[in-house]
Amino acid sequence: QICHHIRHKNIRKVCFNNIGFTSRRGVISELGNALKSPKLKCLDWSENPIESTEEMTLFTRALSQSDTVEQLIFAGNVNENAQALLLGVDFSTYKVLNLRGNNLQTNGRTDIPDLIAANTSLRLLSLHSNKLNDDDAVLIAQSLGANTHLTNLNVRGNNMQER
């Protein structure tokens, strides 16, 4: 019911932080309805690990249905399923992405540099406390040439060495 009210009110930001959901699947399904609200601009889903692949697929679908959300805080959800966000959601219109503390690692893929290069709306990207390495740092640095609007990039707490 909360998500129904979000969709029909003037709510611009919704935070789901460290909640022990009894039915995560049900919440994610309802969240998809709330994300259809033209007024909702920010979703904060933190400290709520999505452990099943099926539920993560549902979550990425829900995010993909919204064309008004500009800010996503998906932080501290430490598990392998967080990687699916980079593969399954079009972030090309997002202005803020906080992906802190999700154990993200690229394993040679260019998901993160591609995201930076393709998203000219992106102003802030936090990748703090993931599992990115020196190779990722080089690719991220190269992608910055294609994005002149990004003003805040946080990569602290990764496996990157200063050169």
Side-chain angles (χ1 to χ4, degrees), residues 17-162:
N17 294 350
N18 198 18
I19 299 173
F21 297 115
T22 54
S23 171
R24 190 176 323 271
R25 181 181 175 85
V27 170
I28 294 170
S29 181
E30 282 301 311
L31 179 63
N33 291 327
L35 289 171
K36 293 175 185 170
S37 168
K39 302 209 166 80
L40 187 62
K41 302 296 180 194
C42 179
L43 171 64
D44 182 344
W45 183 282
S46 299
E47 311 292 332
N48 296 306
I50 300 173
E51 298 184 10
S52 85
T53 304
E54 184 180 319
E55 289 175 348
M56 189 51 135
T57 300
L58 194 61
F59 187 82
T60 57
R61 275 192 207 138
L63 274 178
S64 296
Q65 290 176 3
S66 173
D67 56 359
T68 60
V69 173
E70 300 173 343
Q71 299 179 29
L72 174 65
I73 302 163
F74 189 83
N77 294 306
V78 191
N79 70 34
E80 295 75 35
N81 285 327
Q83 192 75 34
L85 278 180
L86 297 174
L87 303 171
V89 178
D90 176 12
F91 290 119
S92 62
T93 60
Y94 282 63
K95 294 179 181 176
V96 174
L97 285 174
N98 182 340
L99 303 174
R100 171 193 54 81
N102 287 306
N103 286 342
L104 295 176
Q105 51 190 336
T106 61
N107 297 324
R109 291 185 317 275
T110 60
D111 306 331
I112 294 170
D114 292 347
L115 167 73
I116 294 169
N119 185 340
T120 56
S121 301
L122 193 61
R123 304 292 184 266
L124 181 146
L125 176 61
S126 178
L127 299 167
H128 185 276
S129 298
N130 282 290
K131 292 185 176 181
L132 304 176
N133 60 33
D134 290 340
D135 294 334
D136 298 318
V138 169
L139 293 171
I140 288 170
Q142 291 171 348
S143 72
L144 293 173
N147 185 327
T148 58
H149 294 94
L150 186 65
T151 58
N152 189 327
L153 174 64
N154 184 347
V155 293
R156 288 179 297 150
N158 283 283
N159 299 322
M160 297 175 178
Q161 304 302 315
E162 187 175 334

